[in-house]
Amino acid sequence: MSSQVRLRLLPSARCLFDEPVQVKVAGLRSRQVVTMRARSTDEKGVTFSSSATYRADGSGEIDLDRDPSLRGSYVGVEPMGLLWSLKADSLHKMFQKSNSLNPHVVKFSVHEEEEEGRMLAEAINERFLMGDGVSRCPVKEGNLRGVLFTPPGDGPFPAVLDLCSFPCEKRASLLANRGFMVLTVAVFNDKLANIKELHLDHFEEAVDFLKQHPKVGSKGVGVVSRSKGADIALSLASFVSGVEATVWINGCSANAAVPLFYKNRQILSPLLFDSSKIILTESGASIIKYGVSNPLAEENRGSLVPIEQTRGCFLFVAGDDDLNWDSKGYMEEMVERLKRHGKKNVQSVSYPRAGHQLEPPYGPYYPSSFHGVMGRPVMWGGEPRSHVAAEVHMWKKIQEFFRTHLSCDAAQTKAKLQTQIR
């Protein structure tokens, strides 16, 4: 490495996962062309990498907030491009980051264009999912299996239930950093072949757990969800009291895949799938969007979630290029249905050229990966730049929505504490 070249990550090389960093290089020759690289290994041991070529200015400096990439994993001014363009060597790999205890570690480096890419400087970026003072506690009560994240301090805190299709702590821990008490619960904890039905009562237990927690000050509970978790969230809002604010991301308007039961009776039939309508792409990944039955067809009306009977608020988020569901179509139908029933408690946003996997920002973008329910690699959709820009906007929108609709009552929290002491 060159002792003169310096690679800096500002404001710090240690940050939260959803925070941007400014990547700057100094000490290069005037107008020198170099390659910037990033490299990271996920929880499965798969290595992801990215690279981009930059030209220094007259002072021998490069600033990714200002300077365009000339070629590589992306082109143009992309301050966080080295992060979102991280990619595995093999096809259909999703960057696995679901455990909140360990940071997402990224190695940034600067290399000569000549001399076989001799390294000139490097820096390590530790991107934490849990900030200082946030606590993590596994929860196992009755049918409830989840992980609770609590911000530092005594509260009161607004409460959010994070519904994931499969166990994942990323979104929940990051929301806890922003002042929300978050319980994350997976829709599927068992092998899918063993799941013949789902029971809304199990998710109601999660809502009740949050409502009764002594540090929760919000009148009701918020729910955030995507994909299969999104229709469970709709059902909670429609059938369970205490759900005040629901964020639905790229899901269905109907109960998908398996029957849904509540209080020992079936409340929603499953919206079925026609595998003959799957489209196989040249990459080996499938487009499954067109195999989903129409929830508005007469024979499927029993699967449509009756959101018009809720008293809570909704934020619907859809990627226009979602190849897993017709998310935008479902969103538009639900918004129209709520308005037709006189409901004014709805917000919606659609993102052009964004795909299915809308997540907290600054993680690697992946256009395809293995689908846990379908048992095959699928295309998720989305154009990289548009998709990652949507994630940044969506993440702020979700927090604003919950802060608006989950106001805290300190007196209510104090009463809960006094009840527990007695």
Side-chain angles (χ1 to χ4, degrees):
M1 287 192 295
S2 169
S3 59
Q4 296 180 343
V5 180
R6 301 179 304 281
L7 171 58
R8 293 185 297 161
L9 305 174
L10 303 173
S12 172
R14 294 163 60 90
C15 64
L16 292 176
F17 184 96
D18 58 351
E19 291 178 341
V21 289
Q22 185 178 14
V23 183
K24 301 185 78 170
V25 183
L28 297 169
R29 299 188 306 273
S30 176
R31 308 297 178 187
Q32 182 178 355
V33 176
V34 296
T35 296
M36 303 281 298
R37 295 179 183 169
R39 189 177 179 88
S40 184
T41 302
D42 75 357
E43 293 170 350
K44 299 290 185 179
V46 179
T47 298
F48 289 69
S49 59
S50 61
S51 65
T53 299
Y54 286 88
R55 185 187 303 277
D57 64 13
S59 301
E61 296 183 352
I62 296 172
D63 182 350
L64 267 62
D65 279 8
R66 173 196 69 190
D67 300 322
S69 163
L70 306 177
R71 55 187 174 272
S73 300
Y74 56 92
V75 175
V77 179
E78 292 290 338
M80 297 290 282
L82 286 171
L83 281 177
W84 62 250
S85 67
L86 285 165
K87 186 179 178 182
D89 290 336
S90 52
L91 288 172
H92 315 313
K93 292 294 183 182
M94 166 182 136
F95 192 92
Q96 299 282 350
K97 186 68 189 116
S98 58
N99 188 320
S100 62
L101 296 176
N102 303 315
H104 171 29
V105 179
V106 185
K107 176 184 174 183
F108 290 93
S109 54
V110 187
H111 298 258
E112 289 268 18
E113 276 291 273
E114 302 83 18
E115 299 182 30
E116 298 183 349
R118 180 173 68 95
M119 185 188 294
L120 302 175
E122 67 177 334
I124 304 297
N125 185 201
E126 292 183 286
R127 308 184 62 77
F128 290 85
L129 273 74
M130 288 175 59
D132 292 340
V134 172
S135 67
R136 175 189 181 277
C137 180
V139 176
K140 187 176 181 180
E141 294 185 9
N143 294 300
L144 177 57
R145 302 291 182 271
V147 180
L148 180 69
F149 292 91
T150 306
D154 296 327
F157 303 115
V160 175
L161 172 61
D162 177 25
L163 286 177
C164 299
S165 296
F166 299 95
C168 182
E169 300 176 10
K170 179 166 62 176
R171 188 169 56 201
S173 58
L174 292 173
L175 279 174
N177 297 331
R178 307 302 176 187
F180 300 95
M181 176 175 281
V182 190
L183 175 64
T184 181
V185 173
V187 174
F188 301 117
N189 279 302
D190 201 354
K191 292 182 179 179
L192 294 177
N194 299 333
I195 298 174
K196 305 300 181 186
E197 59 193 43
L198 288 171
H199 290 261
L200 195 60
D201 313 69
H202 298 175
F203 304 102
E204 183 180 33
E205 288 182 39
V207 172
D208 291 341
F209 175 90
L210 285 170
K211 285 165 59 179
Q212 295 163 12
H213 196 284
K215 287 189 176 183
V216 168
S218 52
K219 182 180 68 171
V221 172
V223 183
V224 59
S225 57
R226 191 191 66 212
S227 202
K228 173 57 189 175
D231 66 67
I232 296 295
L234 295 180
S235 295
L236 281 173
S238 302
F239 293 101
V240 173
S241 62
V243 177
E244 292 292 319
T246 301
V247 176
W248 173 101
I249 307 167
N250 281 345
C252 188
S253 56
N255 174 58
V258 293
L260 184 65
F261 284 74
Y262 184 47
K263 300 189 183 301
N264 297 316
R265 69 179 184 88
Q266 180 175 309
I267 56 171
L268 293 172
S269 58
L271 183 67
L272 300 179
F273 188 84
D274 184 352
S275 57
S276 69
K277 295 181 180 178
I278 290 176
I279 300 172
L280 184 63
T281 68
E282 292 182 3
S283 71
S286 301
I287 297 174
I288 63 173
K289 172 180 180 177
Y290 305 104
V292 183
S293 300
N294 179 8
L296 298 180
E298 190 59 39
E299 64 271 21
N300 298 322
R301 288 282 178 170
S303 67
L304 200 63
V305 184
I307 55 172
E308 60 274 8
Q309 66 189 30
T310 186
R311 294 183 179 180
C313 303
F314 289 103
L315 170 60
F316 297 119
V317 179
D320 288 9
D321 192 37
D322 185 354
L323 296 181
N324 190 79
W325 306 102
D326 179 19
S327 295
K328 186 180 180 184
Y330 300 147
M331 179 184 75
E332 290 173 344
E333 184 277 323
M334 288 191 292
V335 169
E336 191 278 330
R337 180 161 31 121
L338 286 169
K339 290 182 177 178
R340 194 170 66 245
H341 283 82
K343 306 288 185 179
K344 299 180 180 179
N345 52 359
V346 56
Q347 300 178 43
S348 64
V349 57
S350 62
Y351 294 108
R353 298 180 298 282
H356 179 72
Q357 297 284 11
L358 287 172
E359 298 185 342
Y362 309 127
Y365 163 79
Y366 51 98
S368 63
S369 70
F370 185 82
H371 193 297
V373 176
M374 298 300 296
R376 64 174 76 193
V378 304
M379 300 298 298
W380 299 117
E383 182 276 322
R385 276 188 183 80
S386 301
H387 186 93
V388 299
E391 290 181 331
V392 173
H393 184 273
M394 177 193 74
W395 192 232
K396 293 177 182 177
K397 185 84 174 173
I398 289 171
Q399 294 171 58
E400 291 169 359
F401 176 76
F402 281 145
R403 287 196 181 98
T404 300
H405 296 290
L406 298 176
S407 56
C408 283
D409 183 350
Q412 181 177 332
T413 305
K414 184 177 179 180
K416 287 182 185 177
L417 287 168
Q418 290 174 340
T419 301
Q420 285 209 342
I421 292 172
R422 294 194 193 106

